[in-house]
Amino acid sequence: MKSKCMMLIMVLSFVLVACSSHDNEETNTGGESENKEITFLSNFPFETMDPHLNWTPMRAGVVETLVKITEDYNIEPWLASEWETKDNGQTWTFKITENVTFQNGKTLDAEAVKASFERNIQNSAKMKAALSIESMEAEGQKLTFRLEKALPQFPSELVHPNASIIDVTEENMETAPIGTGPFQVATFEAGTKLELNRYDDYWGGKPKLNKVTFTYNEDANARTAALQSGDADIVYRPAIESLELLKQDKSIATEVVPSTRTTMLMFNMNVETTQDENIRRALEALIHREEVVSSVMAGQAEVSQGPFLADAPFSPSYEEKEFGEEIAKEYLQTAGFVMENGKALKDGNPLELTLVTYNYRPDLPIVAQILESNAKELGITMDIQIVENIDEYLKTKDDWDLAIYSANTAPRGDAGYFLNAVYMENGALNFGEVRDQNLVNVIHEFNGTAEIEKRNELAKEAVTIIDENRYHSFVVHPSNYAAYKNTVKNYQISKSEFYVITKDIDIGE
């Protein structure tokens, strides 16, 4: 009996040793038991995980859209494998990609996509206006949209992160939406931290990481310090002045790409002062673009001639602009201002302006300070106000004259988003209430045109009108940049800022 027990103990010991060796072998060779996780730290605020209201679920790899945009502005299939249109772009039929499942295991079909869009346009006035959906019909994997009007470039509207597809039968959309992406929400703390787990049955192939922690800090220096201390593996937009130092660290990699974002000076067209084009031109002349690129952006930006990058097919050529205090002074004089006792006066009244901006992008208050300092030399008093929710403030308040604002001007691959959002009546970003019927007519024609070359020419015509009237003054195109530990593999940043956490990101030696 004793010898039998000893024999059993020896057998069990052998099995345990074998299992332990097998586990170690898997961990050392990249087997499934290996725990791969990263921490991603950014300046993206996330108060909600509702993808119809916030971009974070898209950036975090939780949700996906029917189509996506490439780095060269092309639209390609994603949750829709193909599409076709008729009625000059008023009716669109999309074939939903086969063998896709939500993170709860449910199959993605046209009915589920239809339900997601129904919720979207019910909860978001912005998306309802952009999509202009009159009705939808789902049959198997085919979803047909009937639009309120012809939209020849309707697929580009579907690129937007707020057009993401979710399972609407699930609850807790604000904290844990169920999408089709490679990662699903584990825990969420609004404005602080988002923990993601790998979705093993992801239709695009099993993600390489097991877990991702998505965190937020608006302080660029704190983001840089987190990378250097090892508290973060990837940092989006570290302190711009730290990039050169980070490049010298052999344990850290950096990546910089152009962005479709533009820093611009907005004018409130409801204010008598800024209704004067000469005043707008004077203020524009006070911002030295090259100085902003070199000193504020540490070289990580391009001088902006207009809303779009110069290589965009819908960006026109511009008249050469002159900048400087003397140029600004000439425009002020044309507007009827004279200098008395260091003040710019018109009919005895000083030129006093309120400028609003925000800290979400730390370069914006610095640009505002440069403008304020240069304006002071010409006797213009400028009061800078830093606000929390810039969009809400500009939309609901009328006590501002100017705003320094950053906008992604071509997030959908063409000029349509910017032109409609910023210059059409009731446009989501038409905070200054620009009203120009000639411009509106061109945009209407643009919206009704399907042929790409013709659309690009109309976009150029619209932008030329904007430039000639100085409805906005465009300063720089800031680059997208990130720094990360060199153990992070397959991480890439994009012009669009949409696709951040992907199935391909890995971590190793």
Side-chain angles (χ1 to χ4, degrees), residues 58-78:
M58 166 71 79
R59 288 168 166 161
V62 175
V63 296
E64 298 168 317
T65 48
L66 292 185
V67 297
K68 68 190 304 186
I69 187 172
T70 67
E71 290 299 281
D72 53 0
Y73 303 99
N74 291 322
I75 304 296
E76 66 178 19
W78 206 5

Side-chain angles (χ1 to χ4, degrees), residues 332 337-340 342-346 349-351 378-380:
L332 282 179
F337 284 85
V338 296
M339 287 290 293
E340 292 183 12
K343 295 286 187 180
L345 303 176
K346 182 177 182 180
N349 298 313
L351 181 51
L378 292 185
I380 302 171

Side-chain angles (χ1 to χ4, degrees), residues 404-423:
I404 298 291
Y405 188 87
S406 177
N408 193 335
T409 57
R412 303 174 190 174
D414 73 355
Y417 166 75
F418 184 76
L419 295 179
N420 283 281
V422 181
Y423 299 104

Side-chain angles (χ1 to χ4, degrees), residues 24 147 432 456:
N24 287 337
L147 307 182
N456 289 341

Side-chain angles (χ1 to χ4, degrees), residues 2-48:
K2 185 174 181 180
S3 61
K4 288 182 179 180
C5 288
M6 289 296 296
M7 181 67 70
L8 179 60
I9 291 171
M10 289 176 64
V11 170
L12 288 173
S13 298
F14 176 79
V15 170
L16 289 172
V17 169
C19 290
S20 176
S21 299
H22 179 65
D23 286 344
N24 287 337
E25 182 179 333
E26 281 194 333
T27 301
N28 293 333
T29 60
E32 288 193 10
S33 64
E34 184 176 7
N35 185 31
K36 293 184 174 184
E37 60 182 83
I38 63 167
T39 295
F40 179 92
L41 175 58
S42 80
N43 66 329
F44 303 140
F46 44 87
E47 293 302 321
T48 178

